[in-house]
Amino acid sequence: MEQNHIFGDTIFALSSGRLPSGVAVIRISGPQTRFVTETISVRLPQPRSAALRFLRDSDGSLIDRGLVLFFPAPASFTGEDCAELHLHGGKAVVDAMITVLYKFAGCRLAEAGEFTRRAFANGKFDLTVAEGLADLIAAETDGQRKLALQVSSGAQANLYSSWRTELIRARALIEAELDFADESDVPGSVSDQVWESMRNLAERIGKHVVDGKRGAMVRDGFRAVIVGAPNAGKSSLLNALAGRDVAIVSDEPGTTRDLIEIKLDLNGLPVLVTDTAGLRETEGKVEKMGIDRALEQASAADLVITLTDLSNPVEPRLNDVADGIILRVGTKSDLTQSPGAAAYDLVLSTRTGEGLDDLLEMLAKRVELAAGSLSDPLPTRRRHMELLTETGREVTAAVYDEAAPLEVRAEYLRRASHSLGRITGDVDVEDILDVVFSQFCIGK
């Protein structure tokens, strides 16, 4: 397969992270890659095989001794000729090699994400896989890693591609009835063949969108918000969960004015726990702003942990928060002889540590229940959710707008396939013609 150079420049960049390091990897991609690599290392290694080489400047001066790999197009990450130079990870070594690469005509430093962008432009993968790769690099928990790995492996792209194929076939049947009704080999009764399958597709898309909330939670984190009256122990609990002092603890009411957030990893799933201002009536402008923010966070949370001081019980008042996402916790159990545990989901003391492990266990179970199984492809980004919702809306309109002309219902399906194609970056208005002519033998 002959390489088609979409991009004229050859790009290079340090791809192995911050220096100094044990090894530094410089990646090169573009039409000049073969010449550049051969010039620096004297001779190319066998494709996709590492070879130890002396790496030299154009004047013959030695820069370093390291491994060289060459990946000829199109069997490379970007689809272009690619190379990797594995150097010693010192700043001076890397700077010297970067300086040498700048000397070659048509070579420049890569922009952020440009290698992946070239891979997409050269058809190595679609947009969802590119996004999955970005999420894989950014993953901080095992759950995020698994979800990103699933997306980057193409499972999501394959699902959307199969749905788009269904839409294209449905449109092809409609177009066939509209334009080639006199042909003997065109199936009749589009309604029987199309609308039942489209009704089923709309249901599957709708369920997928609902499941997308799980994917977004795994990617962005399960949000737990701690609320309660002043001095209920919110900041003490946050510090105990973090294992360090991240919030000021004081007997003075109203100490916390702003939101303080920590990130936990519970059984491989990310959890964001937020400490908020104490809920009470106040005339203070700044404190009132903190309380408003606390209520706003609680209304948008996946779980609200309400704290009540058992030695001085003041129940927090919450509006617009569903009872099913509230976890009622009694605090400072070490300061009272009759904690009244029956009124709460659990009681704890940050001073003695009582109940902290139980709280983490309950929190972990809530997160696992919310995340569900990560074995099925899930939409992970708002862009996916918006376009999937749009797709489902168009398919539903096509199915249930029975009074509309067939041309209008076909247009609904065209817009649905266009929205679905925008998720993967694969929008081709001509591919419906291939389906029509191949399936119905038109023009034989």
Side-chain angles (χ1 to χ4, degrees):
M1 179 176 178
E2 189 173 314
Q3 183 182 7
N4 180 21
H5 291 300
I6 298 178
F7 303 94
D9 292 341
T10 295
I11 57 174
F12 57 86
L14 175 68
S15 62
S16 55
R18 183 177 299 176
L19 302 174
S21 59
V23 177
V25 179
I26 293 179
R27 175 182 284 176
I28 309 169
S29 179
Q32 289 285 87
T33 299
R34 180 184 291 268
F35 173 73
V36 169
T37 308
E38 195 168 29
T39 301
I40 291 173
S41 64
V42 180
R43 71 181 189 278
L44 284 177
Q46 290 295 316
R48 291 170 292 280
S49 296
L52 186 62
R53 295 283 190 268
F54 287 103
L55 306 175
R56 300 181 183 276
D57 199 342
S58 55
D59 61 5
S61 59
L62 182 64
I63 301 170
D64 195 13
R65 185 169 182 247
L67 295 178
V68 178
L69 293 97
F70 179 66
F71 306 90
S76 70
F77 175 71
T78 63
E80 306 172 319
D81 282 346
C82 285
E84 289 183 1
L85 307 177
H86 293 226
L87 314 172
H88 291 92
K91 188 176 185 301
V93 175
V94 173
D95 285 347
M97 182 56 70
I98 294 293
T99 300
V100 168
L101 293 173
Y102 264 121
K103 294 179 181 179
F104 290 92
C107 293
R108 63 171 174 82
L109 196 65
E111 298 176 0
E114 191 169 2
F115 288 97
T116 304
R117 182 171 180 175
R118 290 192 176 202
F120 166 70
N122 287 324
K124 302 302 290 186
F125 45 69
D126 73 352
L127 285 180
T128 62
V129 173
E131 290 168 332
L133 289 173
D135 289 343
L136 188 60
I137 293 170
E140 296 180 340
T141 69
D142 197 52
Q144 290 174 327
R145 178 190 64 81
K146 290 178 180 177
L147 185 62
L149 195 61
Q150 184 188 76
V151 175
S152 64
S153 70
Q156 193 181 53
N158 292 338
L159 177 64
Y160 299 157
S161 177
S162 69
W163 287 351
R164 192 158 177 262
T165 298
E166 289 185 51
L167 286 167
I168 291 171
R169 183 179 184 279
R171 287 176 54 210
L173 288 169
I174 295 174
E175 296 288 350
E177 181 164 299
L178 287 171
D179 298 335
F180 306 106
D182 295 336
E183 294 285 338
S184 60
D185 54 356
V186 174
S189 186
V190 165
S191 298
D192 293 341
Q193 298 185 53
V194 171
W195 303 124
E196 183 59 36
S197 66
M198 290 298 97
R199 187 177 294 109
N200 179 269
L201 178 60
E203 292 174 357
R204 281 179 280 154
I205 293 174
K207 182 180 183 301
H208 189 65
V209 170
V210 172
D211 287 343
K213 296 176 182 177
R214 297 192 291 113
M217 188 273 289
V218 174
R219 180 175 181 270
D220 300 328
F222 181 92
R223 307 197 70 88
V225 176
I226 303 173
V227 300
N231 288 338
K234 299 182 299 298
S235 297
S236 296
L237 178 58
L238 190 76
N239 290 340
L241 293 175
R244 64 187 191 280
D245 291 338
V246 294
I248 297 174
V249 177
S250 171
D251 292 335
E252 179 183 341
T255 303
T256 302
R257 302 286 182 90
D258 210 343
L259 306 174
I260 303 175
E261 186 176 86
I262 63 170
K263 182 176 289 186
L264 302 177
D265 180 347
L266 297 181
N267 296 339
L269 297 171
V271 181
L272 304 176
V273 183
T274 305
D275 181 21
T276 62
L279 304 181
R280 66 170 179 172
E281 297 295 330
T282 181
E283 297 297 326
K285 184 177 180 181
V286 176
E287 187 178 356
K288 189 175 186 304
M289 290 174 62
I291 293 172
D292 290 341
R293 289 184 181 182
L295 294 173
E296 181 180 331
Q297 286 287 312
S299 64
D302 298 304
L303 178 67
V304 178
I305 304 173
T306 62
L307 302 190
T308 301
D309 181 354
L310 296 173
S311 64
N312 182 27
V314 178
E315 298 292 336
R317 294 182 179 179
L318 294 173
N319 299 321
D320 302 323
V321 176
D323 190 64
I325 68 168
I326 295 177
L327 183 65
R328 293 176 173 81
V329 178
T331 62
K332 305 182 183 180
S333 60
D334 57 307
L335 299 182
T336 178
Q337 298 298 319
S338 52
Y344 304 98
D345 295 303
L346 66 95
V347 297
L348 58 80
S349 168
T350 56
R351 179 173 295 176
T352 66
E354 176 197 355
L356 287 177
D357 288 342
D358 293 335
L359 175 61
L360 286 171
E361 185 178 345
M362 293 180 72
L363 187 55
K365 287 181 178 179
R366 293 264 187 155
V367 177
E368 289 178 352
L369 183 63
S373 171
L374 300 181
S375 60
D376 298 326
L378 298 175
T380 55
R381 294 173 180 255
R382 178 177 295 180
R383 183 181 75 86
H384 302 168
M385 298 286 282
E386 290 175 350
L387 288 171
L388 284 166
T389 300
E390 194 175 295
T391 301
R393 184 167 57 244
E394 297 292 352
V395 176
T396 300
V399 171
Y400 293 102
D401 192 2
E402 297 180 1
L406 205 54
E407 294 88 343
V408 173
R409 301 175 80 179
E411 175 63 13
Y412 286 138
L413 296 183
R414 186 198 68 79
R415 296 197 307 202
S417 62
H418 182 78
S419 296
L420 203 55
R422 285 173 61 194
I423 300 178
T424 59
D426 181 26
V427 177
D428 183 1
V429 296
E430 298 297 321
D431 54 7
I432 186 175
L433 299 179
D434 295 334
V435 176
V436 170
F437 285 94
S438 64
Q439 287 195 353
F440 304 116
C441 305
I442 305 300
K444 65 182 181 183

